[in-house]
Amino acid sequence: MADVTRVGPDDVGAEMGIDPAGLSDNDLLRELTSLHRTRLNTLRHGPDAALANHLRRTAELESEYLTRHPGREVDPSRLTQDF
């Protein structure tokens, strides 16, 4: 089982959550789905610390996804401009 760091009120800046590299593909997708589902609510109503944690965790999980799937299929019809 992967290690989870629990953070208390005196542990400002400590990491929370399971290391994304230790997640199975299914667990990684489940975590990403959960984060994206809660994104707007956290942005609109969460305290600064919750938003910062959400941003950090999203970056960690998305980076892990891109590491695992560097050649992911991109739908050309979704591109709105050339980059």
Side-chain angles (χ1 to χ4, degrees):
M1 179 169 232
D3 181 31
V4 176
T5 303
R6 305 240 183 248
V7 177
D10 296 328
D11 297 323
V12 176
E15 288 189 353
M16 285 186 358
I18 297 171
D19 180 357
L23 295 171
S24 69
D25 284 345
N26 286 339
D27 289 339
L28 179 61
L29 288 174
R30 186 191 69 241
E31 292 295 315
L32 281 166
T33 299
S34 177
L35 280 170
H36 285 268
R37 186 180 63 248
T38 61
R39 177 72 183 134
L40 183 58
N41 193 45
T42 303
L43 176 64
R44 293 186 63 210
H45 307 293
D48 290 345
L51 181 57
N53 187 60
H54 203 281
L55 289 167
R56 178 194 55 78
R57 188 64 174 163
T58 300
E60 289 175 355
L61 293 168
E62 287 180 349
S63 291
E64 180 63 24
Y65 180 86
L66 292 172
T67 297
R68 293 183 193 188
H69 304 282
R72 72 192 197 290
E73 186 176 325
V74 176
D75 181 355
S77 69
R78 297 203 54 175
L79 300 176
T80 58
Q81 61 184 348
D82 292 327
F83 290 99

